[in-house]
Amino acid sequence: MIRVAFYDTKPYDIPSFEKYGAQHDVAFKFLETRLDANTASLAEGCDAVCIFVNDDANAEVLDKLRLLGVKLIALRSAGYNNVDVRAAYGKIHVVHVPAYSPHSVAEHAMALLLTSIRRIHKAYNRTREFNFSLNGLTGFDLHGKTAGVIGTGKIGRIFGEICRGFGMRVIAYDKFPADGTGFEYVSLEKLFERADVISLHCPLTDETRHLIDQNAISRMKKGVVLVNTSRGALIDAEALLQGIKDRKIGAACLDVYEEEADVFFEDRSGHIMDDELLSRLISMPNVIVTSHQAFLTEEALDQIALTTVNNIRSCFDSDGACDNELCYRCGKIETCKKERSGRCF
Ligand code: NAI
């Protein structure tokens, strides 16, 4: 039996992880707390830890886990910017779930976009109070508009295809443009200049942090709609707020926020909100915020649990090779061929 400390547990995580854990001899110790330097000790007696996007596996935490005998970090997410993969190299193996349901995220991005530009969130509130006025609810057609997709991996491609289904022109920027997408690849500058809607689907790296800053916003069309279902820090939230106040940004649809770790995923309705920037953004009539919800479909939850349990099993079974191991050794974190043994180290 492999024992796994499962941090930041939410009620919707438990059924699928219990199901697949029982099938594969993996016992989860479900913990509500997040992983950080103070809570690492809760993994005592466990072979692995399973973490999500707001757990913090920095170098100090990794050292503490290693001293406890933890051999594996199993991310139940695609993104891994919260793990110091470089520091983990040679000490603790790191696996992630590269894909579960890219449709869940792409469809959520479109749901946010449609809600925002057709003012559905406002109409919903109005009709609940028998206010049937249409004043202030004028939207615009997506048909014939230009969508700018930044990052044309699994999710970005699907989002682009959905946009095409709406009759939009799709232009794209990717550091590594892919063949066969049918999208018109352009420079980032051209994308900012031409897109009516910009949707972010690239990972958060040192290079992409604050990709959308004051300078980028200044190059965009007046009235542009920004959609971010990727990672909060891709956008400089101060610059975004200023762009909204300047009437430059027509609307912002945010499923992620730079400082979300302090607020998202919890019920804070009875509390004073300390994050003034987030409060200000939420108070804007043209900003919609969901709290990192884009992944949350039944299909995605099932696939996340199945892949995570398979990842854990592979790492502890015979040769320990796992296709989903993140390898720092050669720099090609996701795509390297690993050691001859099939492991990163
Ligand atoms: P992916 O790895 O399939 O695609 C990422 C794309 O970004 C690749 O085509 C890559 O070439 C491109 N890219 C890398 N560096 C870039 C750069 N500097 N500039 C422009 N493009 C760059 O990843 P996938 O599965 O499509 O996920 C995208 C992001 O979505 C993840 O990194 C994650 O942060 C986020 N995500 C959010 C979820 C949510 O619930 N809100 C759930 C799952 C993922």
Side-chain angles (χ1 to χ4, degrees), residues 141-162:
D141 292 1
L142 287 178
H143 188 271
K145 299 291 188 308
T146 300
V149 179
I150 300 182
T152 53
K154 293 174 283 298
I155 297 169
R157 274 198 211 198
I158 295 170
F159 181 77
E161 281 161 20
I162 293 173

Side-chain angles (χ1 to χ4, degrees), residues 146-287:
T146 300
V149 179
I150 300 182
T152 53
K154 293 174 283 298
I155 297 169
R157 274 198 211 198
I158 295 170
F159 181 77
E161 281 161 20
I162 293 173
C163 289
R164 277 212 188 121
F166 277 79
M168 300 182 82
R169 213 172 293 115
V170 180
I171 59 174
Y173 170 76
D174 194 300
K175 194 175 174 194
F176 311 101
D179 293 330
T181 62
F183 306 148
E184 181 193 350
Y185 282 97
V186 296
S187 67
L188 208 46
E189 290 70 27
K190 284 274 174 288
L191 186 142
F192 292 151
E193 282 166 23
R194 287 175 52 191
D196 300 294
V197 171
I198 297 175
S199 196
L200 305 179
H201 300 288
C202 59
L204 175 63
T205 61
D206 289 343
E207 201 178 346
T208 60
R209 185 173 298 275
H210 290 187
L211 183 82
I212 306 297
D213 59 9
Q214 193 188 0
N215 180 39
I217 291 170
S218 71
R219 291 164 177 263
M220 293 177 193
K221 278 187 175 178
K222 185 170 164 56
V224 65
V225 180
L226 273 182
V227 183
N228 188 7
T229 56
S230 192
R231 285 291 180 267
L234 293 176
I235 298 183
D236 175 349
E238 298 265 7
L240 174 66
L241 180 62
Q242 194 55 50
I244 290 166
K245 283 161 64 177
D246 293 344
R247 281 45 171 190
K248 179 73 185 257
I249 300 211
C253 307
L254 310 174
D255 186 51
V256 285
Y257 169 66
E258 190 164 6
E259 303 300 329
E260 69 176 52
D262 297 333
V263 278
F264 279 16
F265 298 113
E266 306 298 336
D267 179 359
R268 311 248 175 228
S269 55
H271 299 254
I272 306 293
M273 175 59 70
D274 289 326
D275 188 326
E276 293 193 6
L277 186 52
L278 181 61
S279 307
R280 193 83 176 93
L281 283 169
I282 288 176
S283 74
M284 290 289 169
N286 51 355
V287 174

Side-chain angles (χ1 to χ4, degrees), residues 66-79:
R66 190 163 73 122
L67 285 175
L68 292 170
V70 170
K71 295 166 202 72
L72 175 71
I73 307 266
L75 281 149
R76 52 184 191 278
S77 63

